[in-house]
Amino acid sequence: MKIGIKKLRDGAKIPVYGSQFAAGADLYACIEQDIVVQPHKTVLIPTGLALELPVGYAGLIYARSGLASKRSLAPANKVGVVDCDYRGEVCVALLNHSDEPQTVAVGERVAQLVITPYITAEFIQKDELSDTVRGEGGFGSTDRF
């Protein structure tokens, strides 16, 4: 699949897959100087890129496992969604989950982008829904089965 990409500023790096079978391509911080993310704070990190995704596909922005597990930096919204009709700059809302300041370096890999198909549903209001074994069982309810 070919994805259109536009560099919006100098220093922007095209996403790169870390291995032959990697699902996510690394997104890089396109910043002029290092940024310190204070404990329990969120900073919007620009990538300097805009995408042209095909209709029926979305770009999902996930944490990089090393950054999250070693430095407690991960997307604040857990998974960012880039819709196929969005043409603005892709940014990563990076949250510092730790009690220590963390520095994001110029050009550092800050997240990973997974391109995935999606289905647009038609929501139909009903007076009743079909019965299931689980029924209305909520959080933790499947432990009973």
Side-chain angles (χ1 to χ4, degrees), residues 100-117:
E100 301 293 328
Q102 298 293 327
T103 301
V104 176
V106 173
E108 183 174 358
R109 297 175 296 171
V110 291
Q112 57 182 322
L113 176 70
V114 176
I115 307 299
T116 187

Side-chain angles (χ1 to χ4, degrees), residues 2 4-5 13 15 17 29 31 42 52-53 56-57 67 70 93 97 99 101 110 122 132 144:
K2 296 184 188 306
I5 197 158
K13 296 182 183 180
Y17 290 97
I31 50 181
T42 299
E52 185 177 50
L53 297 168
Y57 288 83
L67 201 61
K70 295 176 184 171
H97 292 273
D99 294 327
V110 291
E122 177 183 359
T132 66
R144 296 188 321 238

Side-chain angles (χ1 to χ4, degrees), residues 27 42-47 61-62 74-76 90-94 110-112:
L27 293 173
T42 299
V43 174
L44 201 58
I45 305 292
T47 66
I61 298 174
Y62 291 99
V90 174
C91 294
V92 178
L94 212 55
V110 291
Q112 57 182 322

